[in-house]
Amino acid sequence: MDSPYSLLAQDDEDLRAMKAGATMRKVKSRSWKKQRHFRLHDDGQTIWYKSKWAGMGHSTFSVADVEAVREGHQSEVLQSIAEEFPAELCFTLVFRGRRGNLDLVAESVSDAQAWIRGVRKLVQNAESMDAKERLDQWIWDWFQKADKNKDGRMNFKEVRSLLKMMNVDMNEEYALRLFTLADESESGCLENEEFVQFYKMLTQREDLWQVFQDYSQDGQMLTLAELEDFLKQEQQRGEGSRDHAQDLINRFEPSETAKKQGAMSIDGFQMYLVSPEGDIFDPKRLELHNDMSQPLSHYFICSSHNTYLMEDQLRGQSSQEAYIQALKRGCRCVEVDCWDGPNGEPVVYHGHTFTSKILFRDVITTLGEYAFKASEFPVILSLENHCSLEQQRVMAQLMDTILGETLLRAPLNGLVPHELPSPQDLKGKILLKAKKIGGLEESETLNDEVTDEVTDEVTDEVSDEDEAEPKSPSVENLSAEELGLSRKKSKLSSELSDLVVYCKSVHFHGFENSRLHSKCYEMSSFAESKARKLAKEKGMEFMQHNSRQLSRIYPSGRRTDSSNYNPQEMWNVGCQIVALNFQTAGLEMDLNDGLFRQNGCCGYVLKPDSLRNDDAFDPERPQECNGYKPLRLSVQVISGQQLPKVNQKEGSIVDPLVRMEIYGVSKDQAKQETSYINNNGFNPLWNETLNFIIHVPELALVRFVVEDYDKASRNDFVGQFTVPFACIQQGYRHIHLLSKDGTALPLSSLFVNIKISELTTETE
């Protein structure tokens, strides 16, 4: 059996060169440059590398984990050795998720080019595969893993080992029966197509077969009318379901005979249900569909805190790469902490800690290059300014020179606004969020002498005493002043002040003061505890404030491990810029990713009507609001498919359970879970129904979590997927699971049946 990759490699000179191997330097820093021998494994998708002295030991990574190849000195590490090694020998492999880059220096230009072109071809090939090709590749991969002696055949002992690797504890007698049925040549081994047959028997989806049988009169095919009936009854398709049924047959039915008859086989039915069309997330909601012409204050904005950090905020590495990763994920508000650096050059790092420093110039260069690759809508640069007047002028000059026309320097059309412009109006623009002396109204009358006056804090995040970073063992020798406990006045340069247009940072003096005196372009930042207190005690006023003004929320200074707060509490009252530590995986980033996966992943999501208007919406008392319409969410958790192993010990198999978590207003916070299934991560079957009442559907997020049950200790995380309630498709759906890092877990999914119905207040 040939892998789709190996077929590609047979005719490709670059891939043949990769399979032959090449010695390259793996570079971690200016002082760490070590030779390693790299080669593409015979499976065509695994790259091995080892040192001469490693004996039999080697490291590997999958081509599927590579997101992109950067040519030349396009990483901080390779830039640091640019004088030693020319650009044409250097390249960087960028991995998905939070895994660090791999920086390499080839011995010749031809080697470098062969690997750059070859890896790009393999990445493109992986991304362009359809569901059937991905499945073929997956089967082939398992065949390779199980074929221990590499003879292209698999005996029953190897098959038993394979089943353990595939996370299934199957009765040996049943496994032998399947093996014997598949061994048509009666050789005692499975070869090529025999293994495919074994896999098909192993993965027969009884759960899907049962649904198919419910609508197929002859049990073999779904006619066009039967498929249309299924779409109406189960998938909640109304108008146009006949045309939709025909379209599904054309796209997913593998049998030409069935296609000609206008029918769908069980194979086509399965292909449809595991495709994006059968996904829980409505494909139409994945596309850019929001009205993008409303004021900025009417949108949730994907926002990062301490964007420069790859790790924690005490000792972590600062890196341009962190900005690249955040921007690629659709982040539209990045933070830059600026401090005076040597040689008159401002630096970026988490002040008065042991985090590494990077040049402000390099951060702005990275922002200029990557700001609009994932989204064309505006980027807000949130500036935490701790610099002297001299270096503030340098910052202004660098932004002006490097960002050029993308940097917004004046109000649109030269007019002082009564409301903020829209994301549509500001496409391709970078907005500076910082302190500003005076307002847009007075900008023409200001002069240097006035603008260099002493002002309030130049930085936003010198927070109240209860939010200041405490002393800890790692920073115990730093003074209170160094830890930011003192609040002092600073000078602001006119050059920097002039670059602030629609995001002027101001101190918050209460909702009444804001309502009477604030300009639409003024915005405040709130530490999480202050925002949480306001949301709980004055939720309606906070919501009304956020219908007019931008608010930025940031994590407590006590979070020295760069952990995150729950952003949902802030979204409930319409806060737009809810800044999270993107480098820290977990529930909070899952919610953020879930909310911003919709609307083309553009980083802007239009807030619900209730949060955009100056109406009386109170998230703590939704039942008292106009238009209150609670809904019942009923989810039958049917089965799971190919769940990954969490414990790599031989013989270890997961005991999976599924937990559903609802995040929204206080009344909607809820969790329910299924029972656990013993020793089956391959095809566990639950058939359990979980029910919820959703009081404010437009704000709710639904998170599905799979865990490995452990009665003696905490359950291990297996996978998750988070979806806005408003983006859920009803009916029989697959949920394609993501890892802790938010990357796809190939072929790992849950199969569910979702029903949403209206709930009257009388029957609640």
Side-chain angles (χ1 to χ4, degrees), residues 197-485:
Q197 187 58 32
F198 170 76
Y199 172 82
K200 282 191 172 178
M201 288 189 286
L202 185 68
T203 56
Q204 228 170 19
R205 293 277 304 271
E206 291 297 329
D207 51 352
L208 278 177
W209 179 250
Q210 189 56 57
V211 177
F212 185 83
Q213 292 297 302
D214 288 345
Y215 284 86
S216 170
Q217 189 171 355
D218 67 1
Q220 301 300 311
M221 290 284 177
L222 284 174
T223 65
L224 186 61
E226 288 168 346
L227 180 56
E228 182 187 6
D229 192 31
F230 169 77
L231 293 175
K232 281 181 178 175
Q233 299 297 322
E234 303 292 350
Q235 308 299 76
Q236 304 300 307
R237 290 286 304 205
E239 247 178 81
S241 48
R242 170 64 63 116
D243 291 340
H244 185 57
Q246 186 61 61
D247 179 54
L248 294 180
I249 291 170
N250 294 341
R251 284 195 286 148
F252 297 111
E253 178 50 52
S255 163
E256 289 301 323
T257 306
K259 270 187 188 176
K260 284 175 185 171
Q261 294 171 351
M264 181 176 270
S265 67
I266 182 64
D267 289 339
F269 190 64
Q270 181 165 333
M271 293 295 275
Y272 149 58
L273 282 174
V274 299
S275 76
E277 193 81 39
D279 196 273
I280 186 173
F281 208 118
D282 185 346
K284 293 192 290 296
R285 294 282 191 145
L286 288 171
E287 299 166 2
L288 185 69
H289 66 278
N290 283 166
D291 173 8
M292 302 304 288
S293 64
Q294 300 199 28
L296 279 181
S297 56
H298 287 188
Y299 297 83
F300 295 125
I301 303 172
C302 188
S303 307
S304 164
H305 176 252
N306 289 350
T307 314
Y308 46 88
L309 286 177
M310 299 289 284
E311 301 156 56
D312 70 82
Q313 62 189 47
L314 279 184
R315 298 176 178 274
Q317 177 193 0
S318 301
S319 171
Q320 295 153 245
E321 196 61 43
Y323 285 95
I324 296 172
Q325 290 183 10
L327 291 165
K328 282 197 308 190
R329 292 174 73 170
C331 182
R332 297 287 87 190
C333 179
V334 297
E335 184 180 23
V336 184
D337 282 9
C338 301
W339 301 79
D340 280 358
N343 308 315
E345 281 262 17
V347 293
V348 175
Y349 79 114
H350 200 250
H352 308 303
T353 65
F354 305 108
T355 60
S356 62
K357 300 172 183 175
I358 51 178
L359 290 175
F360 178 77
R361 173 195 302 272
D362 291 341
V363 170
I364 299 304
T365 301
T366 300
L367 185 61
E369 185 175 350
Y370 287 91
F372 303 107
K373 288 199 171 180
S375 169
E376 59 188 347
F377 294 107
V379 171
I380 298 169
L381 195 166
S382 180
L383 192 65
E384 290 299 314
N385 173 18
H386 306 270
C387 290
S388 62
L389 277 173
E390 293 73 26
Q391 295 210 12
Q392 287 181 42
R393 292 187 182 111
V394 173
M395 287 160 56
Q397 184 201 354
L398 287 169
M399 285 191 283
D400 184 68
T401 306
I402 295 169
L403 298 179
E405 290 303 307
T406 61
L407 181 65
L408 189 76
R409 295 175 174 80
L412 299 178
N413 304 318
L415 301 173
V416 175
H418 297 294
E419 66 176 15
L420 286 167
S422 71
Q424 184 72 31
D425 295 332
L426 294 166
K427 266 187 185 178
K429 291 295 182 185
I430 294 172
L431 282 58
L432 183 63
K433 183 196 94 57
K435 297 288 181 181
K436 181 180 181 68
I437 297 175
L440 296 180
E441 295 83 356
E442 304 95 353
S443 59
E444 292 180 3
T445 64
L446 294 176
N447 57 57
D448 286 354
E449 207 171 316
V450 176
T451 54
D452 277 355
E453 282 182 349
V454 174
T455 71
D456 282 346
E457 309 84 33
V458 179
T459 169
D460 272 343
E461 289 193 19
V462 179
S463 45
D464 300 329
E465 284 73 16
D466 65 332
E467 280 301 317
E469 290 181 7
K471 288 189 180 181
S472 69
S474 18
V475 289
E476 60 189 357
N477 297 323
L478 300 178
S479 69
E481 184 177 358
E482 285 173 313
L483 282 169
L485 299 183

Side-chain angles (χ1 to χ4, degrees), residues 716-732:
D716 286 321
F717 174 90
V718 175
Q720 70 83 31
F721 190 78
T722 304
V723 54
F725 180 85
C727 298
I728 288 176
Q729 293 199 100
Q730 294 190 63
Y732 286 98

Side-chain angles (χ1 to χ4, degrees), residues 11-23:
D11 302 318
D12 191 281
E13 189 179 336
D14 293 325
L15 300 187
R16 284 200 300 271
M18 288 175 68
K19 288 178 93 168
T23 299

Side-chain angles (χ1 to χ4, degrees), residues 148-161:
K148 297 292 185 188
N149 57 12
K150 304 301 173 193
D151 63 354
R153 296 148 55 89
M154 212 163 56
N155 59 35
F156 185 62
K157 185 179 177 185
E158 288 174 317
V159 165
R160 279 189 309 176
S161 171

Side-chain angles (χ1 to χ4, degrees), residues 113-126:
Q113 283 301 309
W115 278 78
I116 290 166
R117 289 192 302 257
V119 174
R120 282 176 177 165
K121 286 171 194 169
L122 292 173
V123 170
Q124 186 180 7
N125 186 62

Side-chain angles (χ1 to χ4, degrees), residues 62 80 100 176 186 215 333 385 401 411-412 449 495 538 540 590-591 606 619 671 675 730:
S62 171
S80 73
L176 181 59
E186 299 182 1
Y215 284 86
C333 179
N385 173 18
T401 306
L412 299 178
E449 207 171 316
E495 293 89 344
K538 300 184 176 183
M540 193 185 302
D590 292 345
L591 296 178
L606 188 63
K671 295 180 183 181
S675 55
Q730 294 190 63

Side-chain angles (χ1 to χ4, degrees), residues 698-713:
E698 62 270 25
L699 279 173
L701 289 166
V702 183
R703 183 172 183 250
F704 294 83
V705 190
V706 181
E707 289 183 346
D708 180 12
Y709 174 77
D710 192 324
K711 63 183 176 189
S713 62

